[in-house]
Amino acid sequence: MDFSLLDQHIINGLVLGVIYAMVAVGFTLFFGVLNVIKFSHGDVLMAGSFAALIASLFLSQLGEFPTWLNLCISLLFAISIMATLGTLIAQHLVLPLRGAPPLNTLLITLMLGLAIREAVRLFYPNGSNPKPFPRLLPENSWIIGTMEIRQDTAIIIVGGLLAILILNLAIRKTRLGLSIRAVAQDPETARLMGINFKRIVLGTFALGSGLAALAGVANGLYYHEIIFDRGLFLGVIGFSAAVVGGLGSLLGAIIGGFLFAFLQTIGAIWFSVPAYKDVFAFVVIIMIMAWRPTGLLSEINSDRV
Amino acid sequence: MKTSLLQVEGLTVRFGGLTALSNLDFKLGEGDLLGLIGPNGSGKTTCFNAITGLYKKNSGSVLLRNKEITHSSPQNIYRNGITRTFQRLRLAIGLSVFDNLVIGDAMHLNTSIYFNVFRRSNLRADIKNRLEQAEEILAFFNPKLIDNIYQPIGKLSMIDRRRIEVCRALISKPSVLLLDEPSAGMTHEETRDFMTDLMEIKIKTPKLGVILIEHEMNVIERVTDRCIVLSYGKKIAEGDYRDVSTNKDVRAAYLGED
Amino acid sequence: MKKQDKYLVTYCEILLTSTITTILVVAFLIVEKEMLLGAIIGLGILGFFIAKGRGIPHKIDQVYREHPCVFYLTIVSPVIIAIVFCRHEHFALFMIASVAIYATACLGLTLQLGYTGLTNFAGAAFLGVGGYTVAVLTNQSIPNVLVILLGGLMAAIIGSLLILPVLRTRGHYAALVTIAFALLFKTFLEINDTLGGPQGLKIASFKFFGLDFNEPLLGSSFYLSYVIAALLLMLVVFIITRLIEKSWLGLHLDAVRLDETVASCFGINIAAWKILAFTLGNFFIGLAGGLYAQMLGHIAPTNFTFADSLILISIVILGGIGNPLGVIPASFLIIVLPEKLQFIQEYRFLLFSILVILVLVYRPEGLLKRGLRSFYRTWGRERKLEN
Amino acid sequence: MESMLETQNIYAGYDEADVLTGVSLKVQPGKITCLLGANGAGKSTLIRVLLGLTPARKGQVFYQTKEITNIETHNIVRQGVSTIPEGRKVFPKLTVRENLLIGAILEKSKAKAQDRMEGVLSIFPQLANRGQQLAGTMSGGEQAMLSIGRGLMGAPKLLIIDEPSLGLSPLFVKENFKVIQKIKERGITVLLVEQNVKQTLEISDYGYVLAQGQVVAHGTSSMLKSNSQMQAAYFGQGE
Amino acid sequence: SSNETDLVKIAFIGPLTGGVSANGIGGRNSADLAIKLANADTSKKYQYELVVLDDECKPNIGIQVATKAAADSKIFGAVAHYCSAVAVGTVDVFHKFALPMIVWGAVLPEITYGNDYPEIHRVNGTMINQNDVAARFMIDQGYRNWAIIHDTTDYGKGHDKYFTESIEKYGGKVLGRFGVTADQQDFNAELTKIKALKPEVLYFGGITPIGVRVRTQMDRLNIPALFQGTSGIISDAYIEGTGNLSEGTLAFREGDSAERLPGGKMFLTKYKEMEYSSPPEAYGPFAFAAANLIIRAVEAVGPDRKKITKFLNQIKDHNSVIGKISFDDNGQNMVPLITKFVVQDGKWVIWEASDYQSGQRQLSR
Ligand SMILES: Nc1ncnc2c1ncn2[C@@H]1O[C@H](COP(=O)(O)OP(=O)(O)OP(=O)(O)O)[C@@H](O)[C@H]1O
Ligand SMILES: Nc1ncnc2c1ncn2[C@@H]1O[C@H](COP(=O)(O)OP(=O)(O)OP(=O)(O)O)[C@@H](O)[C@H]1O
Ligand SMILES: [Mg+2]
Ligand SMILES: [Mg+2]
């Protein structure tokens, strides 16, 4: 095999892995408070990238801004808009369903995802078409040995990993993280400890949706193109990555994300019809689940009799 | 000498570095009522979990009527006649009292699809039988519960739920009954009534062997023939209540010196 | 005397409710004018609240338990009358048949998800297995009724490929296994040309003892035969599902769903029950898929995507998880509503999703919440009757 | 004298039926007040009402001088109320250490939380070397200790305890009553629900007896100990 | 015989929601335009109403809405389908109910050639003609080596098949072919492999959204090959999505360019006047032509499905916005012309009128 080719495949796989991991971490976070698959996650991600696009276009209309400033402002805008959206969703759709079976929350987020997707399609001008995403990262290449890596690629990999790492620290080491985990396990007792249940749920939604926006922007920056219906599939992959890694574990989400990217890349290389790569990846996933029924970093069993 | 019912030899259970149960031996004869006591975390519940096959045993063996059941599944152990209650109530909240009770007799229910779907009149007769059986056993513990037999379990008070759990364990007419702190949360009065009922059950089914985990010493004194004291997973004493309660180790570890 | 008067009033109320409901449902199916549709929906909602205010749902429940013949009179006969009335309305019949078929598939899911707690996000894939089996076999010389049965069987068999991972995993982990299957099933069909590839397959019409289902039955619609077949299939599957629920089988499935530890301590073979529910559920879904394929006359991989599986799950959740009766109005809502929203064209999915969200916010438990098990009609009443 | 906690004519219940029908009581500061009553009398329901977990349908709850009827639980807790809830309610997937820390989640200073933790561990040495065990895998009694320890971590002004000795070994029951006594000595007000009448009246200052949702007797502990009417109410209708 | 203001309904079926809805909405607007123009024309004998139905690009929904249209006795013709898999499924329904229909966008040959139903017509060409012309043209331009990326839908697979057949016939070579799923986002792995094959041209068989993705990701990997697409990417959306990268992209489509035909110019100006919120897209003119054809048939023979079918089957050399329409025995418009397009300065330009033809610009090699 051609080695420069291998390098390229590795870099492709890495970026893909980081993007998947970012989505997966979002799933893990929501699983933490809701104990449910939040199917609208992918669509929030997509909406986040559109928000950044709008901000960026608006800025370039205003005048000449340095690209880094444009990037920062668009990113902040997208994150804050999505965080607000997440809070509203939690307030009006998730909290009222607290007493109902968790699957009902799943349905409501599913429908919400559909609503977000359709809203972008209908209300963004020509929303059903793919939109070019501004190139806000430097595109020169660095040469390391035989390997050639573009700066934007490197920034996305490092930035994505950093975001996940910071989130991980926040969840593991802070009182906020402890509160989130407590609320997930027993909302009533958590309230008895003085935890503001509502605030934690809203906060987690804000955090998760903000993270989705970040992932959406990373996605746009890497592919230079965004489209309204990207969310569902990316969401499904993110969910798969989170579960394969072991729900509730942020490290698991990262491992899951990279595993999925790895499987797809391998699949694309092996099969003469690359479309089989998804079939291949999902077959492997099913086999992994049969082998490790609670994910690679399996959730520790705290159930006792 | 009574015939031996349950025989536990060298039973050891570890969780990582923690030895929850170490080298436990004891015997339970037909009709015995054996008390299992010990400080919190001394391995009593673990002993039940090991006997009923929920926990893997690191070593040792369990014999039921001289038949090895050490490595049987919980299902088979139940089918061989060992039933139990749980320290933290485990009833199905969404189901009715009757459903919860009758599931205790799962091994005697006819589960063939043909019978259940196509022989409805036979099934109905069967259900009516079960209903009577359930009412009978409820009548024993608390006749008021009979009126609640069609009600969801969630409507009952904690103590009635405890009673239901015991009934669920008894309904299949087991040969060994394992009771894990059945009186927790009951007042003295209720505990006394409950134990009286238990003694009556014992009289009605003289061969039934019971192991009772309990922290109420007067209960232990009143109902058990013999008891075993665990501490840190080890048996530190065995004998009737008087022997045990005067044992120095037991006083230090469990009852408190005074 | 007074008591009888009360019964008479109750019967009249029920009869009225059933008549009005039937008229509204038929009108809803047939009418195309937006204004009229709105009026019908408005009337329906109004009627629902009036009925609820008068305690009619409760009365219906009571009367049905005591006098099942009233039930048949007020449910089965309006359906028959409605069908006879609509016998020339091809499209209304087509929709009725679709609703019945989806409801059948969702009964299979109820068995899995509602009773046993097995998450199956690959409903549409099993629908597809049934459909493709029928598509391949109809064109052979095998009796058509048998073909549909084989469709169900095939779904059950393919499903057993997943049994090992499904048995070992729970909750979201099991969801992943089935999601993965749903995705790979569709992609595989599309890439692989042996089963028609992306274009799918055409299916010859259903024949039953020389009766060609694609020919108008007794001079009425093409779809009348399918409606009858679909309703019959739904009825049979519904009755089986209900009987399972109201028997020791249902009790065992509930025990497996609610607490596996307790179930295993009372001798319940968890794996066996899960296999039973999964396989039987897939069988039902496969049957539905087979009939659906027959009716459509053409199937393609894009009918059986993950999104379609989600539609099936949505129906089950919206109906009220574990309540087989809820599945029927929920299928009606999820299948017919988007169709009725055609007049708002590209905005219809947006409105549809908002409507479903609203339904859920106001009925968080779904349309019909599952109640306690009653093993037979007079269950829980006997004591009162005796006294 | 000003009361720490006071209820006036509380009605509350689940579904349609009222469990509590007009309960009024006072908890004096710095004292141990106990709440006795048969199973299902409504003790836990009353506690849920005090903490805002179950809405009061009628009546009022006052904490110190403020009315706290039906306000959000965490706002009540933030005013210095800790709870050791019925049935322990430890967080099963958090470690023992984390469970304790969450008891002090309102405490901003890490050092203070650490201090309190050491205090708790000295009372319950069994928990000391179990810091990393998941609480869900602890034995029943160990969970009870953890729950009590968690309640103490909040450094409350008022501690509400619902059946703490359930499932504890005799030695520990004794220990436990000593701990409650010590808590009182530190100036913390205690509202205690217990089945263990004798020992409870032994350490408490004042008591209320609840039967079928109403206060049927109250008085100082020594009074209650000698009151035969109270005995009857407490042991149900029978004797 | 009939009243002057008799209402005649015509159905439009296309994808109005989901991934390809841009084309569906463009088609819908164009058909709507045809109806509005007819209603404004006082010489018309009937009033027309467009019944719009969304097929979601899913065969089962397509069959459902086709049934709805066909079962409505007031509907006398249908302008139907952008997605081939849907059209393949619904032709039986139209036949069963004897409702004449004209396909306005789906390109799979089987739709017209896979049956002998008199009701089925198609104004746009099939992918066979398109690819033959494309292959010939590319060979003439001197290209020899191709790599193919196609989606695994009927559309992409069909294009792969017919293009390969033609290109091999004319002496070109396909170095590698890559079938990808339609909802795939990342093509870096496939493109990395393609980069190693060093093709002169990357042929893409699929529609705009993936086309945009592939073209943008080619750039990330610095693949120098020429990008050649099919009718599926001839849309403003492709240019908008790819930005500067679109320059020099080639694609082919049946029928003449609307701009070049007198009727076409009229269509474009009228479309502008109506202020529809989205453009007609590539197949809008076909939907417009199909709707006009049905209106014309109704005007000629009256509202009668059988007669309209018969009328349509006899259409020969009919002037329309897309050029002359002549149906063959299968109802297929024998499109005489395949138009070649190239993107120049952010616009799809007819090859013959482009700077590339005149030699002012060079296609990449
Ligand atoms: N699944 C498990 N994982 C880890 N440790 C466990 C597990 N189950 C029990 N233990 C530990 O084993 C020891 C014995 O527990 P066990 O439940 O048997 O105690 P017990 O005697 O029943 O106590 P109690 O009277 O408090 O219920 C305890 O220290 C407990 O923490
Ligand atoms: N969530 C609930 N839903 C419905 N009824 C309930 C609920 N919780 C308690 N009850 C009922 O309310 C009554 C009072 O219960 P409560 O728990 O307050 O009693 P208690 O005095 O604390 O008894 P115990 O000593 O058993 O804890 C009981 O009859 C019980 O059945
Ligand atoms: Mg225990
Ligand atoms: Mg209580």
Side-chain angles (χ1 to χ4, degrees), chain E residues 32-183:
Chain E
D32 181 65
L33 179 66
I35 300 290
K36 287 207 170 113
L37 293 179
N39 285 340
D41 182 351
T42 46
S43 68
K44 290 281 191 281
K45 285 189 246 166
Y46 300 93
Q47 272 298 111
Y48 295 91
E49 184 189 321
L50 193 68
V51 177
V52 179
L53 298 165
D54 176 13
D55 66 17
E56 301 170 28
C57 203
K58 285 170 83 170
N60 53 343
I61 304 295
I63 290 173
Q64 183 176 310
V65 294
T67 308
K68 182 173 188 174
D72 186 341
S73 57
K74 288 265 170 51
I75 292 181
F76 292 96
V79 179
H81 304 313
Y82 175 78
C83 303
S84 296
V86 182
V88 172
T90 58
V91 289
D92 298 313
V93 177
F94 289 110
H95 174 62
K96 195 153 79 178
F97 287 91
L99 177 64
M101 67 91 94
I102 303 177
V103 174
W104 61 273
V107 289
L108 202 72
E110 282 84 343
I111 299 165
T112 40
Y113 292 120
N115 58 62
D116 45 15
Y117 300 151
E119 294 83 7
I120 312 302
H121 310 85
R122 169 158 53 188
V123 283
N124 59 310
T126 70
M127 49 175 75
I128 303 181
N129 331 25
Q130 193 193 110
N131 280 295
D132 197 62
V133 172
R136 179 82 253 171
F137 172 78
M138 295 302 286
I139 294 282
D140 290 345
Q141 294 296 316
Y143 295 101
R144 290 295 175 272
N145 298 319
W146 274 262
I148 297 180
I149 290 187
H150 64 89
D151 67 34
T152 52
T153 65
D154 47 346
Y155 184 86
K157 276 188 157 180
H159 274 288
D160 169 45
K161 179 175 153 206
Y162 296 116
F163 184 72
T164 310
E165 271 171 18
S166 300
I167 208 76
E168 279 169 358
K169 187 169 79 193
Y170 297 124
K173 230 173 101 188
V174 177
L175 303 175
R177 80 183 70 247
F178 301 84
V180 298
T181 49
D183 43 14

Side-chain angles (χ1 to χ4, degrees), chain E residues 102-300:
Chain E
I102 303 177
V103 174
W104 61 273
V107 289
L108 202 72
E110 282 84 343
I111 299 165
T112 40
Y113 292 120
N115 58 62
D116 45 15
Y117 300 151
E119 294 83 7
I120 312 302
H121 310 85
R122 169 158 53 188
V123 283
N124 59 310
T126 70
M127 49 175 75
I128 303 181
N129 331 25
Q130 193 193 110
N131 280 295
D132 197 62
V133 172
R136 179 82 253 171
F137 172 78
M138 295 302 286
I139 294 282
D140 290 345
Q141 294 296 316
Y143 295 101
R144 290 295 175 272
N145 298 319
W146 274 262
I148 297 180
I149 290 187
H150 64 89
D151 67 34
T152 52
T153 65
D154 47 346
Y155 184 86
K157 276 188 157 180
H159 274 288
D160 169 45
K161 179 175 153 206
Y162 296 116
F163 184 72
T164 310
E165 271 171 18
S166 300
I167 208 76
E168 279 169 358
K169 187 169 79 193
Y170 297 124
K173 230 173 101 188
V174 177
L175 303 175
R177 80 183 70 247
F178 301 84
V180 298
T181 49
D183 43 14
Q184 189 168 323
Q185 168 171 31
D186 186 280
F187 299 94
N188 280 308
E190 291 83 351
L191 288 170
T192 304
K193 278 170 92 175
I194 286 173
K195 189 176 179 184
L197 294 174
K198 299 196 171 64
E200 292 166 280
V201 186
L202 177 58
Y203 175 90
F204 170 71
I207 50 181
T208 302
I210 324 183
V212 171
R213 259 168 254 173
V214 172
R215 181 65 193 89
T216 6
Q217 290 175 33
M218 265 170 83
D219 174 58
R220 167 168 292 277
L221 292 171
N222 278 325
I223 297 175
L226 175 73
F227 191 69
Q228 175 197 349
T230 59
S231 52
I233 64 163
I234 303 183
S235 62
D236 302 341
Y238 172 76
I239 294 171
E240 191 197 338
T242 46
N244 295 337
L245 297 173
S246 60
E247 182 67 33
T249 298
L250 283 167
F252 305 81
R253 199 191 66 197
E254 330 75 53
D256 209 335
S257 159
E259 283 97 340
R260 278 211 304 203
L261 294 160
K265 278 225 179 67
M266 185 272 296
F267 167 73
L268 291 174
T269 39
K270 292 279 181 201
Y271 194 96
K272 264 227 177 78
E273 279 170 21
M274 288 289 180
E275 295 182 342
Y276 291 112
S277 63
S278 40
E281 299 292 353
Y283 284 88
F286 292 95
F288 182 78
N292 272 333
L293 211 50
I294 291 177
I295 292 171
R296 182 177 166 140
V298 174
E299 292 290 323

Side-chain angles (χ1 to χ4, degrees), chain A residues 39-301:
Chain A
F39 263 113
S40 55
H41 191 59
D43 293 299
V44 173
L45 182 153
M46 174 277 301
S49 59
F50 269 87
L53 175 63
I54 291 171
S56 169
L57 291 181
F58 181 73
L59 283 180
S60 39
Q61 293 240 311
L62 283 185
E64 281 289 309
F65 281 94
T67 43
W68 65 266
L69 189 63
N70 187 324
L71 175 64
C72 289
I73 294 176
S74 314
L75 191 61
L76 278 180
F77 179 74
I79 290 178
S80 45
I81 286 283
M82 286 306 118
T84 317
L85 181 71
T87 324
L88 287 176
I89 292 172
Q91 170 101 49
H92 296 291
L93 301 182
V94 176
L95 286 179
L97 251 69
R98 218 156 71 202
L103 274 175
N104 293 25
T105 314
L106 181 149
L107 177 57
I108 224 171
T109 57
L110 189 68
M111 285 298 153
L112 188 76
L114 180 60
I116 294 176
R117 204 178 318 144
E118 288 290 299
V120 169
R121 177 176 76 88
L122 291 165
F123 302 123
Y124 193 88
N126 284 327
S128 59
N129 294 329
K131 302 288 165 199
F133 197 86
R135 295 157 182 257
L136 298 174
L137 291 175
E139 299 191 344
N140 306 331
S141 294
W142 283 318
I143 312 251
I144 309 161
T146 58
M147 198 136 101
E148 184 186 337
I149 184 165
R150 270 171 54 151
Q151 287 173 1
D152 54 349
T153 310
I155 292 173
I156 288 169
I157 296 180
V158 174
L161 285 177
L162 216 60
I164 297 172
L165 209 71
I166 291 170
L167 187 76
N168 194 3
L169 285 179
I171 297 288
R172 290 281 138 208
K173 302 283 178 216
T174 64
R175 294 190 299 158
L176 170 75
L178 198 57
S179 307
I180 291 180
R181 287 187 289 151
V183 164
Q185 290 174 38
D186 187 343
E188 192 168 274
T189 311
R191 276 152 73 197
L192 284 179
M193 300 296 114
I195 294 169
N196 187 339
F197 171 78
K198 208 164 137 190
R199 217 171 50 231
I200 293 294
V201 173
L202 298 190
T204 313
F205 266 80
L207 194 65
S209 306
L211 186 75
L214 183 68
V217 173
N219 199 52
L221 287 172
Y222 182 63
Y223 292 111
H224 301 312
E225 167 262 332
I226 56 178
I227 189 166
F228 78 100
D229 64 355
R230 179 71 36 83
L232 186 63
F233 198 66
L234 207 56
V236 168
I237 291 182
F239 168 71
S240 310
V243 175
V244 159
L247 272 172
S249 144
L250 286 136
L251 185 62
I254 299 173
I255 293 178
F258 280 105
L259 174 76
F260 212 91
F262 170 76
L263 288 176
Q264 280 192 327
T265 309
I266 292 279
I269 297 171
W270 265 355
F271 292 101
S272 57
V273 181
Y276 276 117
K277 71 183 178 187
D278 287 346
V279 177
F280 166 73
F282 283 118
V283 167
V284 174
I285 295 285
I286 291 179
M287 293 193 312
I288 291 178
M289 293 319 291
W291 169 52
R292 305 212 57 154
T294 52
L296 289 170
L297 291 188
S298 44
E299 233 181 299
I300 318 150
N301 188 9

Side-chain angles (χ1 to χ4, degrees), chain B:
Chain B
M1 181 73 203
K2 291 173 191 165
T3 40
S4 151
L5 204 51
L6 187 71
Q7 192 172 345
V8 170
E9 279 164 12
L11 194 60
T12 304
V13 176
R14 289 192 202 95
F15 299 106
L18 180 92
T19 306
L21 212 55
S22 94
N23 219 359
L24 179 69
D25 299 305
F26 69 84
K27 274 188 191 153
L28 180 76
E30 273 182 357
D32 276 359
L33 207 167
L34 178 69
L36 188 56
I37 57 180
N40 296 122
S42 58
K44 304 179 295 295
T45 304
T46 303
C47 173
F48 278 12
N49 288 343
I51 291 174
T52 51
L54 291 176
Y55 281 173
K56 229 179 77 215
K57 301 151 194 78
N58 292 74
S59 64
S61 64
V62 182
L63 302 172
L64 181 72
R65 293 211 166 91
N66 295 322
K67 197 176 139 213
E68 169 101 36
I69 54 162
T70 318
H71 300 294
S72 302
S73 63
Q75 283 95 338
N76 280 332
I77 292 171
Y78 160 82
R79 282 167 192 279
N80 280 315
I82 302 181
T83 61
R84 67 174 293 179
T85 66
F86 298 88
Q87 183 170 4
R88 296 202 64 170
L89 285 174
R90 290 192 92 132
L91 292 165
I93 294 297
L95 300 186
S96 67
V97 171
F98 175 73
D99 287 0
N100 270 291
L101 278 177
V102 84
I103 206 72
D105 205 13
M107 73 172 141
H108 294 125
L109 298 179
N110 185 342
T111 54
S112 87
I113 296 184
Y114 177 71
F115 175 79
N116 277 277
V117 176
F118 300 108
R119 307 303 303 265
R120 292 301 284 193
S121 52
N122 293 12
L123 175 71
R124 199 169 154 151
D126 190 17
I127 289 170
K128 288 203 161 145
N129 278 339
R130 300 284 162 188
L131 203 55
E132 276 166 26
Q133 188 187 343
E135 286 175 3
E136 198 178 312
I137 197 155
L138 284 180
F140 210 87
F141 282 92
N142 182 0
K144 278 191 204 142
L145 281 175
I146 296 180
D147 292 333
N148 287 326
I149 198 158
Y150 303 111
Q151 297 291 319
I153 271 288
K155 285 238 163 119
L156 300 188
S157 65
M158 279 300 158
I159 148 156
D160 279 337
R161 293 189 204 180
R162 277 209 184 277
R163 291 192 179 114
I164 301 288
E165 241 201 17
V166 177
C167 294
R168 178 174 73 180
L170 276 171
I171 202 166
S172 62
K173 306 203 162 53
S175 46
V176 176
L177 173 66
L178 308 178
L179 296 174
D180 198 343
E181 290 190 39
S183 76
M186 293 185 187
T187 60
H188 289 297
E189 178 74 359
E190 286 159 342
T191 312
R192 201 175 66 209
D193 289 349
F194 177 79
M195 290 303 159
T196 312
D197 296 339
L198 185 65
M199 298 308 282
E200 263 179 64
I201 294 272
K202 289 270 307 156
I203 293 163
K204 264 180 61 181
T205 46
K207 287 193 169 168
L208 176 71
V210 180
I211 306 181
L212 174 68
I213 297 182
E214 192 45 80
H215 287 307
E216 273 308 311
M217 280 313 109
N218 33 18
V219 168
I220 293 287
E221 179 175 13
R222 193 177 129 217
V223 304
T224 62
D225 313 318
R226 192 161 52 95
C227 49
I228 292 173
V229 189
L230 295 183
S231 177
Y232 293 105
K234 289 203 184 67
K235 184 162 83 180
I236 55 168
E238 179 168 0
D240 65 20
Y241 176 74
R242 206 125 37 92
D243 294 349
V244 166
S245 60
T246 49
N247 182 313
K248 230 177 106 229
D249 292 342
V250 176
R251 294 199 73 83
Y254 184 50
L255 298 172
E257 213 80 56
D258 47 28

Side-chain angles (χ1 to χ4, degrees), chain C residues 124 128 131-132 135 185-186 189-190 195-203 293 296-305 308, chain E residues 57-60 63 84-86 88-89 154:
Chain C
Y132 269 93
F185 175 79
K186 184 237 165 186
L189 280 182
E190 203 166 86
L195 286 172
Q199 280 171 51
L201 294 171
K202 281 204 182 298
I203 303 155
L296 292 177
H298 169 256
I299 51 171
T302 39
N303 290 354
F304 308 113
T305 59
D308 294 273
Chain E
C57 203
K58 285 170 83 170
N60 53 343
I63 290 173
S84 296
V86 182
V88 172
D154 47 346

Side-chain angles (χ1 to χ4, degrees), chain E residues 137-138 141 143 226 248-250 342 351 356 361-365:
Chain E
F137 172 78
M138 295 302 286
Q141 294 296 316
Y143 295 101
L226 175 73
T249 298
L250 283 167
V342 63
W351 172 260
Y356 291 96
R361 301 189 197 193
Q362 290 294 314
L363 289 174
S364 67
R365 300 202 166 252

